[in-house]
Amino acid sequence: MKQVTDKDVAIIILNWNAYNDTFECLKSLEHLTYPHFHVFLVDNASQDGSFDKLQQDYKDGKFHIPITFIQTGANLGFAGGNNVAIKQAYHQGYQYFWLLNNDTVVDPNALTPLVETLENDKQVGIVGSKIYYYGTNKIWFAGGKVNTWTGKTKHIGIKEEDVGQYDQLREVDYITGCSLGFRREILETVGYMCEDYFLYYEETDWNVRAKLYGWKIKYVPRSLVHHKVSASSGGEKNLSPIVAFYDIRNGYWFVKRTQENKLRIFTAFCYAYYKALKKVLKVFIMNQNRKRRRLVCIYKAVMSIWV
């Protein structure tokens, strides 16, 4: 094992039943201009043979980057799977970490400005990229806003054509886990992502808790990433029914866990019911498939916020 230096970045990618996407993501990392990195590819017990294929590809010399392969043995969700690799990289001494979705393709200069931003200001704890919809110049993420009364989150600039309107480095409320860089000290002050969210809001919770500890969260527009949006959950226009459950429940959990004001928590509780009603109406108005499954997930989410 090579000696880890202060310049080294642990790039952490979570695979789950997505050989083609993960392969393309890993190949894009070969062109990074920042030379000091090691990839930790963690698999959440994929059932499609993708993890074995990727390991064989590595043995066959198809990847020209250093990769450590980690098998969790179960589907631990986004936070759980990433945390396994984060802990391993932390114990190896890495100072910087970059969480990257496996359904992304990165520009060659994507990592350099993230590291520079962390190095230039020791109060910056978390950094994130400008993210395009894959194959377009249309923005998916240019920083995040969060309403701590309702739990509602918003991607700045979403679906806008990029004409330079979000080219300023600036502080934001949160960075999406799709491309999220952070320094070692985040783990030592804030801790790891909460794993019981399983899907959605885990990184929002983490960002907000980091701010409560005094860390700055910065959007870095010179870092460019292209995202095949929601590939693991059915695509943006055909999300899996289970997404509704986690969206409703976790939005409320997020406010309850990060805010002490009881009025905020009550408002988030009411908003969760409002969101559930909207999702029920959407099932019928938009004639969505798997209606019964969607309605069951919404019902379970509503019941779960009483716990």
Side-chain angles (χ1 to χ4, degrees):
M1 185 182 299
K2 81 178 186 67
Q3 183 68 34
V4 176
T5 72
D6 289 347
K7 295 287 187 181
D8 284 317
V9 178
I11 301 178
I12 296 169
I13 300 172
L14 180 64
N15 177 69
W16 187 65
N17 296 332
Y19 172 78
N20 291 332
D21 286 339
T22 304
F23 184 94
E24 187 176 8
C25 178
L26 290 170
K27 291 300 289 184
S28 74
L29 296 178
E30 294 179 352
H31 305 291
L32 285 174
T33 57
Y34 189 87
H36 313 293
F37 69 87
H38 187 97
V39 177
F40 291 79
L41 181 62
V42 57
D43 185 79
N44 260 347
S46 293
Q47 301 299 308
D48 65 343
S50 56
F51 191 61
D52 293 336
K53 291 179 189 176
L54 292 163
Q55 286 182 292
Q56 188 61 51
D57 287 342
Y58 188 63
K59 292 176 183 177
D60 293 342
K62 293 183 180 179
F63 298 122
H64 305 293
I65 50 176
I67 304 175
T68 294
F69 292 85
I70 304 170
Q71 176 56 253
T72 67
N75 188 354
L76 304 181
F78 179 84
N82 276 295
N83 279 347
V84 169
I86 292 171
K87 289 172 184 176
Q88 184 166 323
Y90 176 85
H91 290 302
Q92 290 181 19
Y94 282 87
Q95 299 298 310
Y96 300 123
F97 303 75
W98 186 22
L99 302 185
L100 191 64
N101 268 23
N102 69 312
D103 58 353
T104 60
V105 172
V106 306
D107 275 19
N109 195 46
L111 182 53
T112 301
L114 296 180
V115 175
E116 288 177 349
T117 303
L118 291 170
E119 289 185 331
N120 291 340
D121 187 345
K122 300 303 181 183
Q123 289 303 306
V124 176
I126 296 175
V127 292
S129 309
K130 178 191 288 184
I131 305 174
Y132 291 132
Y133 284 91
Y134 182 79
T136 76
N137 192 45
K138 188 178 290 187
I139 294 169
W140 182 71
F141 184 85
K145 292 182 179 181
V146 60
N147 185 326
T148 54
W149 285 85
T150 64
K152 184 177 181 180
T153 60
K154 179 184 178 182
H155 287 197
I156 297 169
I158 188 166
K159 297 184 179 179
E160 294 181 23
E161 292 292 334
D162 186 12
V163 292
Q165 69 272 44
Y166 300 110
D167 280 354
Q168 297 301 312
L169 177 75
R170 67 182 185 280
E171 287 192 52
V172 293
D173 292 340
Y174 76 96
I175 293 298
T176 173
C178 179
S179 174
L180 185 155
F182 64 96
R183 64 174 70 249
R184 180 183 183 88
E185 290 81 2
I186 287 289
L187 302 173
E188 297 167 347
T189 55
V190 184
Y192 291 83
M193 286 184 286
C194 295
E195 298 183 6
D196 58 354
Y197 282 105
F198 192 79
L199 182 69
Y200 296 130
Y201 279 96
E202 56 275 280
E203 79 270 41
T204 310
D205 174 289
W206 206 35
N207 277 255
V208 170
R209 286 192 288 124
K211 276 204 167 187
L212 293 174
Y213 275 89
W215 292 107
K216 296 178 183 176
I217 314 294
K218 285 202 171 181
Y219 157 71
V220 185
R222 290 194 297 122
S223 172
L224 298 177
V225 170
H226 307 263
H227 185 206
K228 303 167 188 174
V229 177
S230 301
S232 64
S233 53
E236 193 174 36
K237 294 182 180 180
N238 186 36
L239 293 172
S240 168
I242 198 64
V243 168
F245 172 82
Y246 290 116
D247 182 37
I248 295 167
R249 186 197 69 172
N250 292 356
Y252 171 68
W253 274 14
F254 156 69
V255 176
K256 186 178 180 180
R257 291 177 174 184
T258 62
Q259 306 300 310
E260 295 182 355
N261 185 302
K262 291 184 179 179
L263 181 57
R264 286 179 188 258
I265 296 171
F266 177 71
T267 302
F269 181 84
C270 295
Y271 186 75
Y273 271 80
Y274 166 73
K275 190 156 55 172
L277 177 59
K278 281 183 62 179
K279 290 182 184 296
V280 169
L281 293 174
K282 188 176 179 180
V283 168
F284 296 102
I285 293 172
M286 299 188 67
N287 195 28
Q288 293 180 324
N289 62 4
R290 295 175 285 179
K291 288 182 176 61
R292 179 180 173 81
R293 175 63 175 155
R294 293 183 189 279
L295 295 173
V296 168
C297 288
I298 294 168
Y299 172 78
K300 287 183 176 180
V302 170
M303 292 298 100
S304 71
I305 66 176
W306 284 93
V307 178

